[in-house]
Every structure is written in C-alpha cells, then in structure tokens.
Amino acid sequence: MREIAQQTDNHVLLVAIEGAAHAINFSHPGELAHVIRLFMADQPIVDDPDSPGHARLWEVHRSPKLPPAR
C-alpha cells in the first residue's frame, strides 16, 4: 500500500473487511454499505458493530498539508 501511495501527492485510504469474500457485496453487504456511507459523508470510517466482519482502516498521507501517516 505504501508503495502505491508514494505515486500520488495526495493520500490513500484502504479499508479491509475481515472475513469478507472476494464478492464482498454478497458476503458482507451491510458492512460495505456502512463504509461507503461514511466515506461519501466525509465522516471517519469505523466498524459497524451490527454487521458481520470487522472493518479496518489504513491511511497514508502524502501531502505536507495533511497529517502524517499513522
């Protein structure tokens, strides 16, 4: 992820939903919809405790105007 992030001057956001199948829209539709809803609303992405799976978030910030990577 960091290697790909180095190719941009912005930042990269990666969300992984543990236990989800390749066809995540079928195996974990609630968690996927929750993550997309938060992203579109420009809100912090957090796990939906009411859906199966566990969402984990990684951010890599590249611009000097953004906070450093965690």
Side-chain angles (χ1 to χ4, degrees):
M1 181 180 81
R2 290 190 190 282
E3 181 180 333
I4 292 170
Q6 290 174 355
Q7 299 174 24
T8 181
D9 60 355
N10 202 339
H11 71 280
V12 173
L13 176 69
L14 171 73
V15 177
I17 299 178
E18 295 174 6
H22 179 72
I24 191 170
N25 54 315
F26 294 114
S27 68
H28 291 73
E31 188 74 35
L32 176 61
H34 176 75
V35 167
I36 292 171
R37 202 174 299 115
L38 293 173
F39 178 79
M40 296 302 292
D42 199 25
Q43 296 179 355
I45 296 175
V46 295
D47 183 55
D48 181 1
D50 297 327
S51 293
H54 179 74
R56 295 181 59 200
L57 169 74
W58 292 270
E59 286 188 78
V60 178
H61 297 279
R62 298 291 301 153
S63 171
K65 297 178 182 177
L66 296 172
R70 292 186 230 157

PDB file of all heavy atoms in Angstrom, residues 7-24:
ATOM      1  N   GLN A   7       3.136   7.042  -5.168  1.00  0.00           N
ATOM      2  CA  GLN A   7       2.946   7.503  -6.541  1.00  0.00           C
ATOM      3  C   GLN A   7       1.940   8.647  -6.639  1.00  0.00           C
ATOM      4  O   GLN A   7       1.631   9.099  -7.731  1.00  0.00           O
ATOM      5  CB  GLN A   7       2.503   6.336  -7.416  1.00  0.00           C
ATOM      6  CG  GLN A   7       3.535   5.233  -7.464  1.00  0.00           C
ATOM      7  CD  GLN A   7       3.051   4.022  -8.217  1.00  0.00           C
ATOM      8  OE1 GLN A   7       2.174   4.110  -9.067  1.00  0.00           O
ATOM      9  NE2 GLN A   7       3.629   2.873  -7.912  1.00  0.00           N
ATOM     10  N   THR A   8       1.424   9.120  -5.520  1.00  0.00           N
ATOM     11  CA  THR A   8       0.457  10.215  -5.525  1.00  0.00           C
ATOM     12  C   THR A   8       0.925  11.327  -4.590  1.00  0.00           C
ATOM     13  O   THR A   8       1.723  11.093  -3.699  1.00  0.00           O
ATOM     14  CB  THR A   8      -0.951   9.713  -5.099  1.00  0.00           C
ATOM     15  OG1 THR A   8      -1.852  10.809  -5.142  1.00  0.00           O
ATOM     16  CG2 THR A   8      -0.935   9.129  -3.713  1.00  0.00           C
ATOM     17  N   ASP A   9       0.433  12.519  -4.812  1.00  0.00           N
ATOM     18  CA  ASP A   9       0.782  13.622  -3.915  1.00  0.00           C
ATOM     19  C   ASP A   9      -0.365  13.902  -2.952  1.00  0.00           C
ATOM     20  O   ASP A   9      -0.378  14.897  -2.258  1.00  0.00           O
ATOM     21  CB  ASP A   9       1.155  14.877  -4.700  1.00  0.00           C
ATOM     22  CG  ASP A   9       0.028  15.379  -5.582  1.00  0.00           C
ATOM     23  OD1 ASP A   9      -1.018  14.710  -5.657  1.00  0.00           O
ATOM     24  OD2 ASP A   9       0.189  16.434  -6.201  1.00  0.00           O
ATOM     25  N   ASN A  10      -1.334  13.041  -2.904  1.00  0.00           N
ATOM     26  CA  ASN A  10      -2.484  13.211  -2.030  1.00  0.00           C
ATOM     27  C   ASN A  10      -2.397  12.191  -0.902  1.00  0.00           C
ATOM     28  O   ASN A  10      -1.385  12.096  -0.246  1.00  0.00           O
ATOM     29  CB  ASN A  10      -3.762  13.047  -2.854  1.00  0.00           C
ATOM     30  CG  ASN A  10      -4.953  13.695  -2.206  1.00  0.00           C
ATOM     31  OD1 ASN A  10      -4.962  13.925  -1.020  1.00  0.00           O
ATOM     32  ND2 ASN A  10      -5.966  13.970  -2.993  1.00  0.00           N
ATOM     33  N   HIS A  11      -3.427  11.426  -0.681  1.00  0.00           N
ATOM     34  CA  HIS A  11      -3.369  10.367   0.320  1.00  0.00           C
ATOM     35  C   HIS A  11      -4.167   9.165  -0.166  1.00  0.00           C
ATOM     36  O   HIS A  11      -4.976   9.266  -1.075  1.00  0.00           O
ATOM     37  CB  HIS A  11      -3.864  10.846   1.690  1.00  0.00           C
ATOM     38  CG  HIS A  11      -5.333  11.093   1.767  1.00  0.00           C
ATOM     39  ND1 HIS A  11      -5.924  12.230   1.308  1.00  0.00           N
ATOM     40  CD2 HIS A  11      -6.333  10.328   2.258  1.00  0.00           C
ATOM     41  CE1 HIS A  11      -7.222  12.171   1.508  1.00  0.00           C
ATOM     42  NE2 HIS A  11      -7.496  11.038   2.078  1.00  0.00           N
ATOM     43  N   VAL A  12      -3.889   8.031   0.447  1.00  0.00           N
ATOM     44  CA  VAL A  12      -4.528   6.781   0.081  1.00  0.00           C
ATOM     45  C   VAL A  12      -5.287   6.268   1.292  1.00  0.00           C
ATOM     46  O   VAL A  12      -4.780   6.303   2.416  1.00  0.00           O
ATOM     47  CB  VAL A  12      -3.472   5.743  -0.370  1.00  0.00           C
ATOM     48  CG1 VAL A  12      -4.111   4.387  -0.597  1.00  0.00           C
ATOM     49  CG2 VAL A  12      -2.762   6.221  -1.614  1.00  0.00           C
ATOM     50  N   LEU A  13      -6.477   5.792   1.059  1.00  0.00           N
ATOM     51  CA  LEU A  13      -7.320   5.236   2.107  1.00  0.00           C
ATOM     52  C   LEU A  13      -7.636   3.793   1.731  1.00  0.00           C
ATOM     53  O   LEU A  13      -8.109   3.533   0.628  1.00  0.00           O
ATOM     54  CB  LEU A  13      -8.614   6.050   2.212  1.00  0.00           C
ATOM     55  CG  LEU A  13      -9.665   5.575   3.187  1.00  0.00           C
ATOM     56  CD1 LEU A  13      -9.167   5.772   4.612  1.00  0.00           C
ATOM     57  CD2 LEU A  13     -10.944   6.352   2.971  1.00  0.00           C
ATOM     58  N   LEU A  14      -7.328   2.869   2.627  1.00  0.00           N
ATOM     59  CA  LEU A  14      -7.601   1.458   2.391  1.00  0.00           C
ATOM     60  C   LEU A  14      -8.461   0.937   3.522  1.00  0.00           C
ATOM     61  O   LEU A  14      -8.140   1.143   4.695  1.00  0.00           O
ATOM     62  CB  LEU A  14      -6.292   0.657   2.336  1.00  0.00           C
ATOM     63  CG  LEU A  14      -6.434  -0.855   2.319  1.00  0.00           C
ATOM     64  CD1 LEU A  14      -6.943  -1.319   0.965  1.00  0.00           C
ATOM     65  CD2 LEU A  14      -5.130  -1.518   2.647  1.00  0.00           C
ATOM     66  N   VAL A  15      -9.557   0.282   3.164  1.00  0.00           N
ATOM     67  CA  VAL A  15     -10.420  -0.345   4.157  1.00  0.00           C
ATOM     68  C   VAL A  15     -10.483  -1.830   3.832  1.00  0.00           C
ATOM     69  O   VAL A  15     -10.765  -2.214   2.707  1.00  0.00           O
ATOM     70  CB  VAL A  15     -11.850   0.246   4.138  1.00  0.00           C
ATOM     71  CG1 VAL A  15     -12.743  -0.479   5.131  1.00  0.00           C
ATOM     72  CG2 VAL A  15     -11.828   1.735   4.435  1.00  0.00           C
ATOM     73  N   ALA A  16     -10.194  -2.655   4.833  1.00  0.00           N
ATOM     74  CA  ALA A  16     -10.305  -4.104   4.683  1.00  0.00           C
ATOM     75  C   ALA A  16     -11.385  -4.588   5.631  1.00  0.00           C
ATOM     76  O   ALA A  16     -11.435  -4.175   6.786  1.00  0.00           O
ATOM     77  CB  ALA A  16      -8.984  -4.774   5.011  1.00  0.00           C
ATOM     78  N   ILE A  17     -12.254  -5.443   5.135  1.00  0.00           N
ATOM     79  CA  ILE A  17     -13.295  -6.035   5.974  1.00  0.00           C
ATOM     80  C   ILE A  17     -12.921  -7.492   6.170  1.00  0.00           C
ATOM     81  O   ILE A  17     -12.984  -8.304   5.238  1.00  0.00           O
ATOM     82  CB  ILE A  17     -14.690  -5.871   5.348  1.00  0.00           C
ATOM     83  CG1 ILE A  17     -15.004  -4.378   5.204  1.00  0.00           C
ATOM     84  CG2 ILE A  17     -15.735  -6.588   6.193  1.00  0.00           C
ATOM     85  CD1 ILE A  17     -16.329  -4.054   4.557  1.00  0.00           C
ATOM     86  N   GLU A  18     -12.492  -7.792   7.381  1.00  0.00           N
ATOM     87  CA  GLU A  18     -12.016  -9.135   7.700  1.00  0.00           C
ATOM     88  C   GLU A  18     -13.146 -10.145   7.554  1.00  0.00           C
ATOM     89  O   GLU A  18     -14.276  -9.900   7.965  1.00  0.00           O
ATOM     90  CB  GLU A  18     -11.464  -9.165   9.121  1.00  0.00           C
ATOM     91  CG  GLU A  18     -10.229  -8.304   9.279  1.00  0.00           C
ATOM     92  CD  GLU A  18      -9.749  -8.212  10.712  1.00  0.00           C
ATOM     93  OE1 GLU A  18     -10.296  -8.900  11.587  1.00  0.00           O
ATOM     94  OE2 GLU A  18      -8.826  -7.426  10.948  1.00  0.00           O
ATOM     95  N   GLY A  19     -12.823 -11.266   6.948  1.00  0.00           N
ATOM     96  CA  GLY A  19     -13.785 -12.341   6.766  1.00  0.00           C
ATOM     97  C   GLY A  19     -14.638 -12.194   5.520  1.00  0.00           C
ATOM     98  O   GLY A  19     -15.438 -13.066   5.214  1.00  0.00           O
ATOM     99  N   ALA A  20     -14.481 -11.096   4.797  1.00  0.00           N
ATOM    100  CA  ALA A  20     -15.294 -10.873   3.601  1.00  0.00           C
ATOM    101  C   ALA A  20     -14.744 -11.677   2.423  1.00  0.00           C
ATOM    102  O   ALA A  20     -13.538 -11.857   2.287  1.00  0.00           O
ATOM    103  CB  ALA A  20     -15.322  -9.387   3.255  1.00  0.00           C
ATOM    104  N   ALA A  21     -15.647 -12.120   1.594  1.00  0.00           N
ATOM    105  CA  ALA A  21     -15.264 -12.849   0.385  1.00  0.00           C
ATOM    106  C   ALA A  21     -14.863 -11.855  -0.703  1.00  0.00           C
ATOM    107  O   ALA A  21     -15.017 -10.639  -0.537  1.00  0.00           O
ATOM    108  CB  ALA A  21     -16.445 -13.697  -0.092  1.00  0.00           C
ATOM    109  N   HIS A  22     -14.346 -12.382  -1.816  1.00  0.00           N
ATOM    110  CA  HIS A  22     -13.982 -11.520  -2.943  1.00  0.00           C
ATOM    111  C   HIS A  22     -15.205 -10.727  -3.420  1.00  0.00           C
ATOM    112  O   HIS A  22     -15.097  -9.566  -3.773  1.00  0.00           O
ATOM    113  CB  HIS A  22     -13.404 -12.350  -4.083  1.00  0.00           C
ATOM    114  CG  HIS A  22     -13.038 -11.547  -5.279  1.00  0.00           C
ATOM    115  ND1 HIS A  22     -11.945 -10.704  -5.300  1.00  0.00           N
ATOM    116  CD2 HIS A  22     -13.634 -11.417  -6.485  1.00  0.00           C
ATOM    117  CE1 HIS A  22     -11.878 -10.101  -6.468  1.00  0.00           C
ATOM    118  NE2 HIS A  22     -12.889 -10.524  -7.203  1.00  0.00           N
ATOM    119  N   ALA A  23     -16.361 -11.359  -3.421  1.00  0.00           N
ATOM    120  CA  ALA A  23     -17.620 -10.692  -3.788  1.00  0.00           C
ATOM    121  C   ALA A  23     -18.235 -10.113  -2.512  1.00  0.00           C
ATOM    122  O   ALA A  23     -19.267 -10.563  -2.025  1.00  0.00           O
ATOM    123  CB  ALA A  23     -18.562 -11.667  -4.461  1.00  0.00           C
ATOM    124  N   ILE A  24     -17.582  -9.089  -1.986  1.00  0.00           N
ATOM    125  CA  ILE A  24     -17.948  -8.510  -0.690  1.00  0.00           C
ATOM    126  C   ILE A  24     -19.395  -8.009  -0.668  1.00  0.00           C
ATOM    127  O   ILE A  24     -20.039  -8.026   0.371  1.00  0.00           O
ATOM    128  CB  ILE A  24     -16.959  -7.389  -0.312  1.00  0.00           C
ATOM    129  CG1 ILE A  24     -17.154  -6.968   1.120  1.00  0.00           C
ATOM    130  CG2 ILE A  24     -17.061  -6.224  -1.255  1.00  0.00           C
ATOM    131  CD1 ILE A  24     -16.084  -6.044   1.628  1.00  0.00           C
TER     132      ILE A  24
END
